[in-house]
Amino acid sequence: MTEDTPPDEERGTEPTRAGNEQHGPARLSARSEPQPAHRRRQAETVQSISRIASRWRQCPRCSVWADTASRSSDNTCGICAHSFPLSARQRITLLVDHDSFHEHDAMLEAGDPLCFTDRVPYPERHRAARQKTGLHDAAVYGTCAIGGHPTVMMVLDFDFMGGTMGVVVGEKFLRAARLAIERAVPLTVVSASGGGRIQEGTFALFQGLKTATAVALLRETSTPFLSVLTDPVFGGVAVSYSSIGDVVIAEQGTRAGFAGRKVIERTIGAKLPADFQTSDFLLRHGHVDIVATRRQLRPLLQNLIAFAARSALPPGPGEPPHPHVSAAPASGWQAVALARHRQRPRLDHYRDTVFHDMVTLHGDRSEGDDPALLTALGWLDQRRVALIGHVRGPGGFDPAHNWGMPSPCGYRKATRVMRLAARWGIPIVTLIDTPGAYPGPRAEENNQCAAIAETLATAARLPVPIVCVVIGEGGSGGGLALCLGDRLLIQENATLSVISPEGGAALLFGTTAQAPHIAARLRLRADDLHRHGLVDEIVAEPDGGAHWDPAAAAALLKAALRRTLAETERLDTANLLTQREKRLTSFGTVWDLGEETAPRDA
């Protein structure tokens, strides 16, 4: 929907006092005809006030009045950085390289097949919007560069009938998508819309079918699609394309959703929370990947477009394996203690030392954003990678990260980013460090089992290399979810087990006092796992453990990842999937006791 523009107010007239006979004829004559100079001064005063008023606007966030002429070039409040609206042309100027934007199909216009009239006929309303904005419809698209990296960009202008999507907006999105596919460059779309255009009726409604088809084509051809939400985005634009980009970014202060706040409150008769549908709400509930200020948008898009468009490096010779000198803990229980050590480096340390220029992606686009599981895009030297891993926080036992125990939305987030990596042709690195998945009632209500199973099934057939590393505890199904790949590495003092020693002892002995005994019997040490062929390689740690020298531990892990990724990237997709399937289906040995060759004591 779009808000109707109120009719222009009629100009007021000077009140007459001709009927005030008690003052006498002479006094009436003097007051009925003001001096021309007075009239001129009055008109000049009104014009001056109008000019001043048009230059000043009150910030809706901090309530400070500011001179529009003194605002920064990005049209934000100098006090609280609130983002004031931008036209499509202003937005393009702000985001793209100077003189790089070349518009396509600027003259497209829609007809009026419904002969629609509200307070004025649709053609008249459309004509007024053209005069107001200088555009022929709400969408502007073309080719450009951001930071020297080519992209196709489309921007909606809210000043053109509320940025509503009609036939022209739908057609321009389709043409922009096809152009991006043809040129093999990312598509970047900046949306600001009140929804579908009422004046075009079901023709406008069905543009959602057209734009959804265009998104499917982008995915089918692995063409990156970056969606930027700016205030506001509702209705037809939100339900068809803006909410399902490969990466969805919300400008700070944006409101977005299916229906507007007032419509929902009137429909359901309930008062909504103050932050309902705001950018912070969208991030907290997992609907967007990133919330960025207006000043952060250009460098963020530059980074993402460079990342999405960059071809993977040709496989190099890699590095020779680091000689592993076993200094394994004397017992399984000692291994558990080292894996849980409060000074042991965790994912945040390796993210900042092994990788660089990481962009964290948030949310499962459905339920929420799990702080116990990180998903990010970034670089390992000059190689693009998608990083997925458990987050345990400071000391490894941080309640803010749920002690590293993911919920269903965490695994759904991981699955979403795995599929994104497959579309963009990016190898995946997973870092496993969790006591297990979160076992609470909320997790069961949201189908924890299916979330983990879907993550595993997705990873099994992804057409990109997957390298998994156990860096701490690999606990039960929660750890298993990130163990499926082409190679499984484990740090020297990490552990991997079907259950925690305490949990196993409680089940088998009815007391956790037997945990050290169960730890020994589970054979959960790196050496045990490698000897049984359950892990492919042990990554050495500094003497005494990774916590004695985190920087050295990071260097050893980085070298192992370089080498392993180089090995897997040499394989074409068919061989990669064949070898992965062979590896994953080979664990364990079974005997058919019906065959005479089977040993009876097996």
Side-chain angles (χ1 to χ4, degrees):
M1 297 179 62
T2 178
E3 297 181 1
D4 293 329
T5 304
D8 294 337
E9 296 181 357
E10 295 181 0
R11 185 181 301 276
T13 57
E14 182 74 8
T16 176
R17 300 179 175 84
N20 195 352
E21 297 179 357
Q22 63 183 359
H23 295 288
R27 190 178 294 273
L28 282 171
S29 176
R31 294 196 176 191
S32 60
E33 296 181 4
Q35 294 296 322
H38 173 69
R39 284 284 194 185
R40 285 196 300 272
R41 286 195 299 272
Q42 189 179 50
E44 290 170 358
T45 301
V46 170
Q47 291 174 2
S48 177
I49 292 173
S50 298
R51 283 195 301 270
I52 294 172
S54 66
R55 287 183 53 184
W56 287 77
R57 181 181 295 180
Q58 187 179 28
C59 176
R61 181 187 294 174
C62 66
S63 301
V64 172
W65 287 87
D67 184 352
T68 57
S70 65
R71 283 197 202 132
S72 58
S73 59
D74 58 5
N75 203 22
T76 57
C77 175
I79 304 298
C80 68
H82 170 75
S83 300
F84 291 99
L86 292 174
S87 69
R89 302 291 187 196
Q90 289 173 320
R91 179 73 66 176
I92 291 168
T93 300
L94 190 66
L95 291 178
V96 310
D97 296 352
H98 181 64
D99 285 340
S100 70
F101 187 79
H102 301 286
E103 187 174 356
H104 289 233
D105 300 320
M107 307 295 288
L108 292 186
E109 285 192 12
D112 182 22
L114 305 182
C115 299
F116 192 96
T117 299
D118 42 82
R119 285 186 291 182
V120 296
Y122 178 39
E124 185 175 329
R125 190 176 292 281
H126 197 279
R127 189 179 309 113
R130 291 200 309 271
Q131 292 172 350
K132 178 181 180 181
T133 63
L135 305 177
H136 284 261
D137 213 285
V140 177
Y141 91 96
T143 57
C144 63
I146 300 180
H149 305 289
T151 183
V152 173
M153 175 175 281
M154 185 178 104
V155 181
L156 293 185
D157 195 319
F158 193 80
D159 281 344
F160 195 104
M161 299 186 69
T164 48
M165 182 165 70
V167 171
V168 170
V169 171
E171 181 65 20
K172 286 193 174 184
F173 182 87
L174 177 63
R175 295 189 185 191
R178 287 175 170 167
L179 183 61
I181 293 169
E182 175 190 333
R183 300 199 175 193
V185 299
L187 173 64
T188 304
V189 179
V190 183
S191 301
S193 175
R197 187 168 298 173
I198 293 176
Q199 293 83 355
E200 294 185 22
T202 308
F203 288 99
L205 178 69
F206 275 20
Q207 297 313 300
L209 307 182
K210 180 186 292 185
T211 55
T213 301
V215 172
L217 291 172
L218 291 167
R219 291 180 174 179
E220 187 178 302
T221 56
S222 299
T223 303
F225 170 30
L226 308 179
S227 177
V228 181
L229 311 181
T230 65
D231 190 51
V233 183
F234 289 107
V237 167
V239 302
S240 64
Y241 73 83
S242 70
S243 59
I244 57 171
D246 289 332
V247 177
V248 180
I249 305 163
E251 184 176 71
Q252 194 173 67
T254 292
R255 297 162 295 160
F258 177 66
R261 181 190 186 93
K262 291 182 179 179
V263 172
I264 295 174
E265 288 183 333
R266 290 169 185 167
T267 301
I268 67 174
K271 186 70 175 175
L272 298 172
D275 69 342
F276 185 70
Q277 295 180 325
T278 63
S279 55
D280 291 337
F281 173 94
L282 297 172
L283 183 66
R284 187 169 65 253
H285 289 276
H287 299 182
V288 300
D289 290 289
I290 304 165
V291 172
T293 65
R294 181 167 290 174
R295 294 173 185 177
Q296 292 170 336
L297 272 180
R298 176 181 160 84
L300 177 60
L301 286 174
Q302 177 178 326
N303 192 5
L304 285 170
I305 290 170
F307 184 91
R310 180 101 176 236
S311 300
L313 288 180
E319 299 183 14
H322 188 280
H324 173 62
V325 179
S326 178
S331 71
W333 190 240
Q334 288 176 321
V336 171
L338 283 172
R340 295 174 178 175
H341 198 287
R342 287 187 176 272
Q343 275 71 53
R344 185 174 181 83
R346 306 290 175 182
L347 179 140
D348 54 352
H349 169 71
Y350 295 121
R351 176 197 59 201
D352 297 337
T353 54
V354 174
F355 308 95
H356 62 93
D357 293 330
M358 303 300 290
V359 176
T360 301
L361 305 182
H362 294 271
D364 65 348
R365 303 279 175 85
S366 175
E367 177 194 356
D369 180 46
D370 188 352
L373 201 145
L374 173 120
T375 54
L377 304 175
W379 302 86
L380 175 64
D381 298 327
Q382 299 301 310
R383 177 183 279 106
R384 300 182 302 164
V385 294
L387 175 64
I388 303 173
H390 300 100
V391 184
R392 299 188 67 153
F397 299 91
D398 183 12
H401 295 280
N402 206 30
W403 300 276
M405 296 187 292
S407 62
C409 67
Y411 291 111
R412 293 189 180 108
K413 175 171 67 172
T415 303
R416 179 176 72 83
V417 174
M418 285 179 179
R419 291 170 177 159
L420 170 62
R423 286 198 299 275
W424 288 13
I426 305 168
I428 298 170
V429 173
T430 71
L431 299 183
I432 300 111
D433 186 12
T434 179
Y438 183 65
R442 175 81 174 158
E444 294 298 324
E445 291 169 3
N446 290 310
N447 206 347
Q448 180 83 284
C449 297
I452 293 174
E454 191 65 36
T455 301
L456 290 167
T458 299
R461 301 303 294 172
L462 283 181
V464 292
I466 308 172
V467 176
C468 312
V469 188
V470 185
I471 61 170
E473 282 187 283
S476 189
L480 178 72
L482 301 187
C483 282
L484 196 154
D486 301 293
R487 301 286 190 277
L488 177 58
L489 283 56
I490 185 169
Q491 284 187 311
E492 189 174 355
N493 294 308
T495 62
L496 184 60
S497 175
V498 68
I499 193 171
S500 70
E502 295 89 343
L507 284 174
L508 298 176
F509 291 97
T511 173
T512 59
Q514 292 294 322
H517 171 74
I518 293 299
R521 306 317 299 169
L522 284 170
R523 305 289 192 263
L524 44 67
R525 303 181 312 158
D527 276 1
D528 296 325
L529 296 163
H530 188 255
R531 185 169 62 253
H532 286 290
L534 296 172
V535 299
D536 298 293
E537 181 182 330
I538 297 175
V539 180
E541 296 184 24
D543 291 342
H547 58 283
W548 282 103
D549 192 344
L556 291 166
L557 177 59
K558 187 172 186 177
L561 286 174
R562 282 192 191 117
R563 181 180 63 257
T564 310
L565 285 169
E567 291 170 1
T568 55
E569 286 174 342
R570 292 192 187 97
L571 302 173
D572 59 36
T573 301
N575 283 327
L576 182 76
L577 295 177
T578 298
Q579 290 192 20
R580 185 186 302 163
E581 179 183 352
K582 183 178 179 180
R583 174 182 173 274
L584 296 173
T585 56
S586 66
F587 297 126
T589 302
V590 297
W591 297 96
D592 185 349
L593 298 182
E595 294 183 6
E596 299 203 2
T597 56
R600 293 301 171 181
D601 60 350

